[in-house]
Amino acid sequence: NVGDDQMTIPLSYVIVEDGIMLREDPFTNGQLVPDEIMEIHLPANGSTYHLITNQEPNAPADPEPTAVLEGCVSGGEPASFGFANILNLANGPLSSTTVCLENVGSYDPNDKRGYPLGHGEAHNIPEGTRLDYTIRFQNTGTDTAFTVVVRDTMPESLDLATLEISGASHPFRVSLDTHRVLTFIFENILLPDSSVNLAASQGAIQFSINHDKELNPGDQILNKAAIYFDFNDPIITNLSRHTIDKEGLPTSTRAFLARQLAVAVYPNPSRGSINVRIPAQDIAPQDALVVMDIYGRQLARTTYAGAANGWDVSHLAPGYYLVVVEDAHGKPRGRAGFVIAP
């Protein structure tokens, strides 16, 4: 549920085995009233679906609520797996975080992965995507490891000012030197070897960071880490790779539609009567004007022609409201905020 005049699912990704496909048309439900439920029916053919919508601006929640459905099949059809993390699972408030770990079998236990993984062979991500890195390590030697050191040289493509350490599996010390080397030290970790205790032989580090704002579409973010077990030679992880998407992902179809028109409301603040002005070439007399509150409730409605000489909204309580412009099919074409003064 979103607090606006319309809910559009702007992205419905159908993830298939060899790539990613964007649906030709977004799902549109028209006007959603409070507590209304929008049902979306998708074929249970084993595909992985990402459903993303956009929240009302300034709402105290995730600005892009996301749902992922994976492994849903009917009959004996095969299912696709491993695609849930190619897009952000959440970009919500700082008070929350989302972690989705894939179950894997035979796999190098010393690795580094950046989430979202990105789509396509280049691991494309939209500009502005924050990266959540996880470094895993495991003692596969023949004796207990007393000290584990993880060194990760941050590339220039990452913005060190935005670095946040999320946590680790064991107590640690962390430092960052002038050469951009991020070092995690696990002293007296007493990590048993995997043949003695498989579960206890493993550890992990998590941190998040933004990419540099100066990156351009096509620029890459490449990163790997070195893991030291006591005095042994380092184990070098895989290369984590991301590319700033050249095309970008249209993650806000509804917001785009809602800002196509230049809408002016005056006086603002108002004492109960407002004027709405839109360029004549962009509006038809029968197009609707709707006043809504910040919860998406419709409080007043008229046509553009009906408001030509001013619109009396004196019944509204003091507060902040939106004027939404709708076409003949009920689709929003523009909006503007205004205030009713006490």
Side-chain angles (χ1 to χ4, degrees):
N1 293 346
V2 293
D4 207 340
D5 59 298
Q6 173 178 322
M7 179 180 181
T8 297
I9 302 296
L11 285 179
S12 176
Y13 285 111
V14 182
I15 310 301
V16 293
E17 292 294 343
D18 59 350
I20 178 170
M21 178 178 70
L22 180 65
R23 289 184 60 94
E24 296 179 358
D25 299 308
F27 292 100
T28 305
N29 191 64
Q31 180 174 322
L32 278 183
V33 300
D35 298 323
E36 181 182 353
I37 296 175
M38 175 182 177
E39 292 187 0
I40 299 174
H41 300 276
L42 300 169
N45 58 9
S47 296
T48 296
Y49 296 97
H50 281 72
L51 302 181
I52 305 172
T53 186
N54 52 312
Q55 183 61 273
E56 178 68 17
N58 302 317
D62 193 334
E64 291 184 355
T66 300
V68 179
L69 179 65
E70 186 172 78
C72 185
V73 294
S74 177
E77 298 183 38
S80 63
F81 294 99
F83 296 100
N85 284 308
I86 69 169
L87 301 176
N88 261 328
L89 295 176
N91 282 313
L94 296 178
S95 58
S96 67
T97 187
T98 299
V99 177
C100 178
L101 299 180
E102 182 182 359
N103 289 327
V104 294
S106 179
Y107 196 78
D108 187 351
N110 299 286
D111 68 353
K112 178 172 184 176
R113 307 194 86 182
Y115 299 96
L117 299 176
H119 64 87
E121 294 183 359
H123 300 278
N124 293 291
I125 58 174
E127 288 186 80
T129 299
R130 185 171 179 84
L131 293 171
D132 297 302
Y133 284 106
T134 297
I135 301 174
R136 299 189 308 141
F137 55 89
Q138 183 177 25
N139 178 15
T140 57
T142 58
D143 200 358
T144 299
F146 290 85
T147 301
V148 175
V149 177
V150 179
R151 289 195 173 96
D152 191 346
T153 301
M154 298 285 100
E156 296 289 341
S157 53
L158 296 176
D159 182 4
L160 290 179
T162 65
L163 174 66
E164 292 183 9
I165 308 300
S166 304
S169 57
H170 300 77
F172 66 95
R173 291 189 293 111
V174 63
S175 63
L176 180 66
D177 66 22
T178 56
H179 299 288
R180 302 178 65 92
V181 178
L182 182 65
T183 301
F184 295 84
I185 302 176
F186 297 86
E187 295 177 317
N188 200 34
I189 190 173
L190 299 179
L191 208 64
D193 68 81
S194 56
S195 63
V196 173
N197 190 328
L198 181 62
S201 68
Q202 304 176 62
I205 299 163
Q206 289 185 329
F207 63 90
S208 64
I209 191 169
N210 292 339
H211 68 73
D212 191 287
K213 294 181 180 179
E214 301 302 320
L215 293 188
N216 297 310
D219 288 347
Q220 290 190 321
I221 304 170
L222 306 176
N223 193 220
K224 57 185 176 181
I227 304 170
Y228 299 80
F229 293 91
D230 291 326
F231 301 103
N232 295 305
D233 292 335
I235 296 174
I236 307 301
T237 69
N238 59 291
L239 183 67
S240 175
R241 180 191 305 271
H242 292 90
T243 304
I244 303 300
D245 200 340
K246 292 183 179 181
E247 302 298 330
L249 296 176
T251 56
S252 192
T253 299
R254 179 180 65 83
F256 173 76
L257 291 173
R259 289 166 174 79
Q260 287 184 348
L261 297 183
V263 182
V265 179
Y266 65 93
N268 193 6
S270 169
R271 294 288 182 178
S273 179
I274 59 174
N275 296 280
V276 181
R277 291 293 177 265
I278 301 169
Q281 67 271 18
D282 295 332
I283 192 73
Q286 67 271 20
D287 284 346
L289 301 181
V290 181
V291 172
M292 309 184 79
D293 63 13
I294 61 175
Y295 301 105
R297 295 175 295 196
Q298 181 176 311
L299 304 176
R301 187 182 188 93
T302 188
T303 62
Y304 187 66
N309 297 317
W311 189 5
D312 183 9
V313 290
S314 58
H315 65 286
L316 299 176
Y320 177 79
Y321 300 92
L322 289 174
V323 170
V324 179
V325 183
E326 295 181 353
D327 63 15
H329 303 289
K331 293 183 178 180
R333 301 186 58 224
R335 68 181 180 184
F338 70 97
V339 174
I340 296 294

